[in-house]
Amino acid sequence: MSALRLAVIGGGISGLSAAYRLRALLGGSAVIDLYEACDRLGGTLKGVDLAGTKLDVGAEAFLVRRPEVPALLAELGMASRMVHPGTLGPRILARGTLESMPRPTLMGIPADPAVVAHLAEPADLALMTDEPRRPLEWTRGQDISIGGLVAERFGRSVVDRSVDPMLSGVYSARADDLGLRAVLPALAAKLDAGSASLTAAVADLIGAASGDGPVFGAMSGGYQELVDVLVERSAAAMYTGTIVTDIRRGETGWLVDGIAYDGVVCALTAPAAARVLDSEPDLSRPLSGVDISGSAVVAMAFGPDVVLPELSGVLVAGDETVVRAKAFTFSSRKWPHLAGHGALVRASFGRFGAPVSDIGDDQLIDWATSDLSTVVGIWGGRGALASIDAVVQRWPAGLPRYGTGHADLLADLESGRPRGLVLAGATYDGVGVPACIGRADRAARRLVTDLTD
């Protein structure tokens, strides 16, 4: 058989991981071309120089209790580059105070009123206490927003001050805008199986959770280290600054803007994938229905006189009004390898339904420094702060929204997938780096199976 010619569309972590896996599976004879519209590779894995220190301004950390990233790092000989946070934890800014994180929870959903007693309103604590005795109307297979379910069973303040801060940091969307079945499939499965109450279902899942050791990891030199190694090891021809406009079936394989390939990995955002796959309506139609959540990160460096709170960061409650940011990461507190580089902070803005695309960079920096000054003041530190360096990184198409019905959309995509074309990216099996790497690996293996069986 002649050497396979493969195209990977998209040079983020999904496309790069898929290209690397294709090379590992097919060896040096395969022709792999990777197309990326931007002039750089890595997608939302991006580091910037901030006052002489390299700081990630996109994805920052990964769950080490998921196997994908540690396994890939070990395979690449990079396991020694993985670092873990220190012992400091975050707090939640709610009702103008910095409150302890509710624990244990399932992505902020508690199973015991005592866990959120310091956050929730008294009426909602009473509602939650009574929840196991209230009839639960649930139809197997139904989908509902996480916020709608938790508000009805536990009360709105539990959503705003416990669930929203957790989900907004991961999905850049409020609980009301996220579907249960796509975001928390294990909880949906418990309810499908006949759990008598939301309390019981959540308690079962919290009780089944296990794992010792660090929860999160990062790269000591930033994610760019991983990007560079994947580029090298994939040995793909990299065409940056190249916008693909059309993917369609050819006589024997696929055409990418008229260039013939045996197979294609499409690792684009859902709107971009829908446009280039217009000739495949079974794919383009469901993809065009996926909303995108835009956001922005303001990375700031402060001089040695600025003392940050002894926290890894702050999550902001959905009903909090004293700041505009949705979260802060005190990077130089959270990561021991960044200690000694001054006070380094990431402030996050924007979520689904509340874009910041019309807010200028200077205004975002003003908001970030003002909001941080408010948080430091609440903690008991000095007031108005002034950064010595600041960088704004915008992610206008950062994350897909996993709304109600998203799981059905994915099923439609799977049933409509033609031979020789696979989909990868955050749209499908999770938005985090581990999920994207896992999806890319499976996509590459499916493509090889398509073309070699």
Side-chain angles (χ1 to χ4, degrees), residues 266-339:
C266 183
L268 299 174
T269 64
R275 288 192 295 271
V276 300
L277 291 169
D278 185 61
S279 64
E280 295 288 330
D282 287 344
L283 301 180
S284 61
R285 270 198 303 266
L287 285 168
S288 65
V290 178
D291 295 316
I292 294 295
S293 300
S295 62
V297 171
V298 180
M300 299 172 288
F302 298 88
D305 58 321
V306 172
V307 179
L308 296 174
E310 292 282 341
L311 302 169
S312 64
V314 172
L315 304 179
V316 179
D319 61 349
E320 183 54 73
T321 58
V322 300
V323 298
R324 287 146 294 205
K326 64 182 179 184
F328 300 89
T329 301
F330 303 147
S331 301
S332 52
R333 293 284 197 198
K334 180 176 181 178
W335 301 103
H337 70 285
L338 293 177

Side-chain angles (χ1 to χ4, degrees), residues 39 52 59 61 112 144 216 236 242 255 278 305 319 342 348 378 391 433 436:
D39 59 2
D112 184 342
I144 186 175
F216 296 104
T242 303
L255 298 175
D278 185 61
D305 58 321
D319 61 349
S348 299
I378 292 171
V391 176
V433 171
C436 289

Side-chain angles (χ1 to χ4, degrees), residues 329-367:
T329 301
F330 303 147
S331 301
S332 52
R333 293 284 197 198
K334 180 176 181 178
W335 301 103
H337 70 285
L338 293 177
H341 295 273
L344 305 177
V345 179
R346 287 170 35 127
S348 299
F349 294 88
R351 55 170 64 86
F352 178 75
V356 291
S357 55
D358 59 341
I359 307 299
D361 286 3
D362 289 344
Q363 182 67 75
L364 279 177
I365 292 172
D366 285 346
W367 283 2

Side-chain angles (χ1 to χ4, degrees), residues 52-135:
T53 301
K54 185 68 74 174
L55 189 70
D56 281 320
V57 289
E60 179 212 23
F62 53 83
L63 285 169
V64 297
R65 293 178 184 174
R66 286 193 61 147
E68 293 91 347
V69 178
L72 179 61
L73 294 179
E75 184 177 340
L76 295 170
M78 301 180 69
S80 64
R81 305 302 295 165
M82 183 167 62
V83 294
H84 303 292
T87 58
L88 296 177
R91 289 204 178 183
I92 289 180
L93 176 58
R95 293 178 293 187
T97 62
L98 291 171
E99 301 282 5
S100 60
M101 292 289 292
R103 291 192 175 95
T105 69
L106 177 69
M107 289 300 288
I109 306 176
D112 184 342
V115 170
V116 290
H118 61 301
L119 293 171
E121 295 297 322
D124 291 342
L125 292 173
L127 185 70
M128 186 176 176
T129 300
D130 187 57
E131 195 270 341
R133 293 182 288 274
R134 290 161 47 211

